[in-house]
Amino acid sequence: MTGGQTVGETQAPGAGRRPVFAAERRQRIIELLRVNGAVSLRELAQAVRSSEVTVRRDLRALEAEGLINRHHGGATLPGELSREPTYAQKAQVAAAEKAAIADLAASLVEDGDAIVVGPGTTTQEFARRLARHTELAVVTNSLLVAQALAGSPRIEVVLTGGTLRGSIHALVGSAAERSLAGLRVRRAFVSGNGLTAERGLSTPNTQVAGVDRALAGAAEEVVVLADHTKIGVDTMVQTIAVERFDHLVTDAGAPGDVLDELSGRGVRLHVARV
Amino acid sequence: MTGGQTVGETQAPGAGRRPVFAAERRQRIIELLRVNGAVSLRELAQAVRSSEVTVRRDLRALEAEGLINRHHGGATLPGELSREPTYAQKAQVAAAEKAAIADLAASLVEDGDAIVVGPGTTTQEFARRLARHTELAVVTNSLLVAQALAGSPRIEVVLTGGTLRGSIHALVGSAAERSLAGLRVRRAFVSGNGLTAERGLSTPNTQVAGVDRALAGAAEEVVVLADHTKIGVDTMVQTIAVERFDHLVTDAGAPGDVLDELSGRGVRLHVARV
DNA sequence: GTAGATCCGATCAGATTCGTTCTATTCCGA
DNA sequence: TCGGAATAGAACGAATCTGATCGGATCTAC
């Protein structure tokens, strides 16, 4: 990441690289926290290209202002959504596959796009990767996706209305579906609980299924994000048929036969290497 | 001799060394900042062909006028590195009062109610107090309010749709207002940035104001939550007139004359003791 | 519960930057 | 022509920032 240097050297030929102001670095740290929820000291130091000592000083200063919470080994934002479980938990989730999938999927998004993003832990990771884009319009029914993008002023985030389903922090119901009715975007990035070559995406909940269908219906192309643990799994309600798939982003652990089958049906595959 | 390369021949050929006026140089500095966002002192000195001392003087003058922000090693435009997203800091202002107000306001809610809750740090606290209620239906445009209630299975949380305003984590815009159009609930619990006896509730943002009005319009009774730091303050856009107030919940630090005036206009007062 | 590894805080040193003071130059009016 | 005022550059001590190191605290694994 690091998104490159903010200040381009459009002029001043031969001038040495401008030193990064402390305030600049601190803002960048906050941005990183806002995007990633919890970041280790080492990662921060690497991202801002400073020593860990310096970052530690910054964190201390930011903590004094009440802008962040420090933890052993890193920092988090204070009292943001359910990123509570923080650090230890996040690290142990072994979200390596999801992170890789999210990275790859983010490369399918271009500046200026209008996209739809569904709920799910993978799509949430994906949303965090979008922070570096500009002029993006993102429609979602997931509070966590919205939250991940709330700090990015260059991204317009639109939430569907609807009834909150607390367990997944997403909006469902007729209001949610209705609010998507008149919408048309380029791509939908959705996930689910199960994915088979025969029945496509599926979820155990009918309300969630209804919104998932509406999300896909609002997009020209459907991009499915699914790690290998979901592939071959079938749950109660089918949400999106394979015929509607345009892209599948998964990881190298996915069973080859299912991928072949999907590929044979015209789905473009993107396999992330962890 | 100050070297041959001084103020010299960058322009005005034949006119014989016109000095670069200070105002001109400063204008140039601002332009450079505007283009590059953040520029080091050295670069500035090089760009305007003056010594660093001179540029330093200019920067000091420009800072005094509020046109730039100085940093160690350079300068930026005021907006560039602003640490505005002070939501965390806002929550710390009068935190004890807000908690007491939230407690008191929660006693105005009965099991089985349908209510509307607006955005704000106070209403967020208020929402947390609602978790103990049952059979409640809560409509809100605040992600933080929704989040506070996400874990309560006996409360139905409905979010309006709309565009996410990241700084306050609330949904605004025409979609938000439209989704409230057909709604009717018993009470609306709203807050704002300022409250006077003459102009009622106000907020600095027009979009927020629009939704606030729609929230109040969906309820039979309006309950205003405002700690003493907001009373007597008037900001740009009026959202809800005093005539629409039914209850005001505030703390003991509120100025008596304003309270009297409001009471005289038929507003029922609830003063929380911290 | 102990041992090992990691992380944190404090102190020190090097480098850069800042503010102040002093000096030189130019412009303008008498 | 002379002198005052304003501006720009130079020099030096003070303050700030950054990175390195080391002892102590904390966390994790066994």
Side-chain angles (χ1 to χ4, degrees):
Chain A
M1 48 188 70
T2 76
Q5 224 65 352
T6 47
V7 181
E9 50 248 328
T10 54
Q11 41 205 138
R17 273 244 304 281
R18 179 178 69 75
V20 179
F21 303 147
E24 214 171 339
R25 199 179 47 236
R26 289 177 188 174
Q27 168 155 337
R28 189 146 168 61
I29 288 174
I30 290 183
E31 272 174 29
L32 284 166
L33 285 175
R34 195 167 288 151
V35 170
N36 293 328
V39 186
S40 74
L41 181 75
R42 187 161 305 168
E43 281 178 291
L44 286 174
Q46 208 166 331
V48 302
R49 306 196 180 202
S50 290
S51 73
E52 300 185 6
V53 182
T54 299
V55 173
R56 207 167 283 156
R57 264 191 278 252
D58 288 337
L59 293 182
R60 218 173 304 169
L62 291 171
E63 184 189 37
E65 293 186 59
L67 295 173
I68 65 166
N69 285 340
R70 294 184 69 194
H71 300 276
H72 202 86
T76 62
L77 285 184
E80 293 276 317
L81 283 182
S82 70
R83 357 184 105 156
E84 281 270 343
T86 54
Y87 200 46
Q89 214 166 3
K90 187 202 166 190
Q92 100 186 38
V93 172
E97 286 86 355
K98 286 179 179 173
I101 291 171
D103 272 330
L104 192 50
S107 69
L108 296 177
V109 179
E110 294 165 16
D111 286 353
D113 265 355
I115 63 174
V116 159
V117 181
T121 52
T122 312
T123 51
Q124 188 188 351
E125 276 295 314
F126 163 73
R128 288 184 182 142
R129 308 302 199 278
L130 295 179
R132 65 179 78 130
H133 285 82
T134 60
E135 304 303 321
L136 219 55
V138 178
V139 180
T140 184
N141 70 324
S142 161
L143 264 64
L144 298 174
V145 166
Q147 180 65 27
L149 296 170
S152 306
R154 290 182 174 151
I155 300 183
E156 181 179 1
V157 181
V158 177
L159 244 86
T160 70
T163 304
L164 179 63
R165 187 170 177 79
S167 57
I168 58 171
H169 292 275
L171 303 173
V172 299
S174 59
E177 297 175 27
R178 233 181 304 121
S179 68
L180 288 162
L183 208 67
R184 197 70 184 167
V185 302
R186 197 165 81 89
R187 279 178 173 159
F189 294 83
V190 296
S191 183
N193 290 67
L195 168 60
T196 67
E198 297 75 32
R199 298 190 65 225
L201 264 186
S202 60
T203 172
N205 183 276
T206 54
Q207 281 194 305
V208 175
V211 184
D212 278 351
R213 283 190 210 106
L215 289 171
E220 296 171 22
E221 290 190 3
V222 174
V223 182
V224 176
L225 278 57
D227 63 76
H228 68 274
T229 66
K230 290 173 182 162
I231 294 186
V233 176
D234 196 6
T235 58
M236 195 174 83
V237 194
Q238 183 195 52
T239 59
I240 305 174
V242 175
E243 287 69 34
R244 269 300 266 136
F245 290 16
D246 293 283
H247 300 262
L248 169 65
V249 186
T250 185
D251 61 275
D257 52 345
V258 179
L259 295 188
D260 289 344
E261 172 76 18
L262 288 169
S263 179
R265 296 210 193 184
V267 179
R268 258 175 289 177
L269 302 180
H270 307 262
V271 180
R273 278 184 310 181
V274 177
Chain B
M1 284 311 106
T2 75
Q5 99 283 21
T6 42
V7 188
E9 55 282 332
T10 57
Q11 48 207 136
R17 301 233 291 239
R18 179 174 70 77
V20 178
F21 300 131
E24 202 174 341
R25 197 178 49 235
R26 291 179 187 176
Q27 186 63 37
R28 187 99 197 287
I29 288 175
I30 290 184
E31 275 172 29
L32 283 166
L33 285 175
R34 197 161 289 151
V35 171
N36 291 345
V39 187
S40 74
L41 182 77
R42 186 160 305 165
E43 281 179 292
L44 284 174
Q46 204 166 330
V48 302
R49 311 215 175 193
S50 291
S51 73
E52 301 186 4
V53 183
T54 301
V55 174
R56 232 186 291 261
R57 266 191 278 251
D58 288 336
L59 293 183
R60 221 174 306 174
L62 290 170
E63 184 190 37
E65 293 184 58
L67 295 174
I68 64 166
N69 284 343
R70 293 184 70 194
H71 299 277
H72 202 90
T76 62
L77 285 183
E80 287 301 315
L81 290 176
S82 67
R83 201 165 302 151
E84 296 305 330
T86 52
Y87 194 88
Q89 288 176 322
K90 261 196 254 175
Q92 290 171 356
V93 175
E97 286 85 352
K98 284 176 180 168
I101 291 171
D103 273 329
L104 192 51
S107 68
L108 297 176
V109 180
E110 295 165 17
D111 287 354
D113 265 354
I115 63 173
V116 159
V117 181
T121 53
T122 312
T123 52
Q124 186 188 355
E125 277 295 310
F126 163 74
R128 292 209 181 105
R129 300 327 195 256
L130 296 178
R132 63 179 79 121
H133 286 78
T134 59
E135 304 305 321
L136 219 54
V138 177
V139 180
T140 184
N141 71 324
S142 160
L143 264 64
L144 298 173
V145 167
Q147 180 64 27
L149 296 170
S152 306
R154 294 188 169 146
I155 300 182
E156 181 180 3
V157 180
V158 177
L159 245 86
T160 70
T163 304
L164 179 63
R165 187 169 176 80
S167 57
I168 58 171
H169 293 275
L171 304 174
V172 299
S174 59
E177 297 175 28
R178 236 181 300 121
S179 68
L180 288 162
L183 208 67
R184 198 69 185 168
V185 301
R186 197 166 80 89
R187 281 179 173 159
F189 294 83
V190 297
S191 184
N193 290 65
L195 168 60
T196 67
E198 297 77 32
R199 296 191 65 224
L201 265 185
S202 59
T203 171
N205 183 275
T206 55
Q207 282 193 305
V208 175
V211 185
D212 279 350
R213 283 191 210 108
L215 289 170
E220 297 170 23
E221 291 190 2
V222 174
V223 183
V224 176
L225 279 56
D227 63 73
H228 70 273
T229 66
K230 289 172 181 162
I231 294 186
V233 176
D234 195 6
T235 58
M236 195 173 83
V237 193
Q238 185 194 50
T239 58
I240 306 175
V242 175
E243 288 67 36
R244 269 300 269 135
F245 289 18
D246 293 284
H247 300 264
L248 168 65
V249 187
T250 184
D251 62 275
D257 53 345
V258 179
L259 295 188
D260 290 344
E261 171 78 18
L262 289 168
S263 178
R265 294 211 195 182
V267 179
R268 259 174 291 178
L269 302 181
H270 307 262
V271 180
R273 280 183 309 179
V274 178

